[in-house]
Amino acid sequence: EMGMESPLITNSSGETFKDIVELPNGCLCCSAKDGLITALDRLLEERQRFDYVLVEATGVADPQSICEIFWVDDELGSKVYLDGVVALVDSQNALHLLDGDGVGAELGLQAESAKQVACADVLIMNKADLTSEAHRAKVAARIVALNPTATVHESTYAEVPLSALLAIKAFDRQRLATSLSA
């Protein structure tokens, strides 16, 4: 079953991707976790068909639980590794969400928002075109305070170079544990 976004995803030639695996009816943090593992196993059987697997989660997902799917015993090794965690930060609303006021209070997402920032290896401050430089500086200061080791990029329409997202080899389980304990 394909969701509403699948017809929108195209390659550089404008052709619609047909090989999208969607995990409906649950979140990766809990009920759909086994579905992701099964989908990864299936993809690994066809390794020659892809370079990367991107896992997109909702704005309220628990990134730590998703990262745990990729944690394997270093002694055993793995055919896959977690390259990095990328979080999209809504520059217009980030301070409200992180402070739990205004929109943030209504939604009750303060803890989830802070955890997503803390878990990220790359933070994309989106909507740069809709916020002032002074406001973006406040947002940047706040997210860097929550996660001083993440790379921060400003964007409009979430456009960043692929080199900022793929083959970054940024994920570090120990850094994540330290970031979450702070």
Side-chain angles (χ1 to χ4, degrees):
E1 180 179 327
M2 292 301 223
M4 62 184 275
E5 290 180 339
S6 60
L8 303 174
I9 302 173
T10 60
N11 65 15
S12 60
S13 303
E15 300 166 342
T16 302
F17 278 107
K18 306 253 185 291
D19 298 331
I20 296 175
V21 178
E22 186 170 354
L23 304 173
N25 303 325
C27 95
L28 291 176
C29 313
C30 46
S31 59
K33 188 182 243 182
D34 290 340
L36 175 61
I37 294 169
T38 301
L40 288 171
D41 285 342
R42 238 187 356 230
L43 288 170
L44 287 171
E45 291 172 5
E46 303 174 23
R47 181 73 188 218
Q48 72 281 359
R49 293 186 56 217
F50 64 90
D51 295 318
Y52 299 97
V53 174
L54 300 176
V55 178
E56 178 185 9
T58 68
V60 294
D62 178 358
Q64 182 180 9
S65 295
I66 297 170
C67 290
E68 288 173 357
I69 293 170
F70 297 92
W71 291 354
V72 294
D73 187 319
D74 292 332
E75 301 286 322
L76 296 175
S78 176
K79 295 178 184 177
V80 297
Y81 69 94
L82 183 55
D83 189 39
V85 176
V86 179
L88 188 68
V89 176
D90 178 342
S91 294
Q92 217 172 11
N93 296 300
L95 296 178
H96 292 298
L97 290 168
L98 292 169
D99 293 336
D101 63 1
V103 173
E106 293 171 22
L107 299 175
L109 298 175
Q110 183 177 6
E112 289 86 353
S113 299
K115 190 169 188 179
Q116 287 184 0
V117 169
C119 287
D121 299 302
V122 177
L123 294 162
I124 302 170
M125 287 179 38
N126 197 36
K127 299 184 181 178
D129 58 324
L130 302 178
T131 56
S132 69
E133 188 173 328
H135 182 78
R136 288 192 310 275
K138 287 180 187 176
V139 172
R142 182 66 188 278
I143 63 177
V144 167
L146 287 169
N147 186 343
T149 61
T151 303
V152 179
H153 300 276
E154 286 189 9
S155 71
T156 299
Y157 295 105
E159 291 183 15
V160 293
L162 281 179
S163 61
L165 307 174
L166 300 177
I168 57 175
K169 296 185 177 25
F171 182 75
D172 179 338
R173 187 183 333 178
Q174 187 59 41
R175 186 211 52 85
L176 177 62
T178 302
S179 183
L180 290 174
S181 67

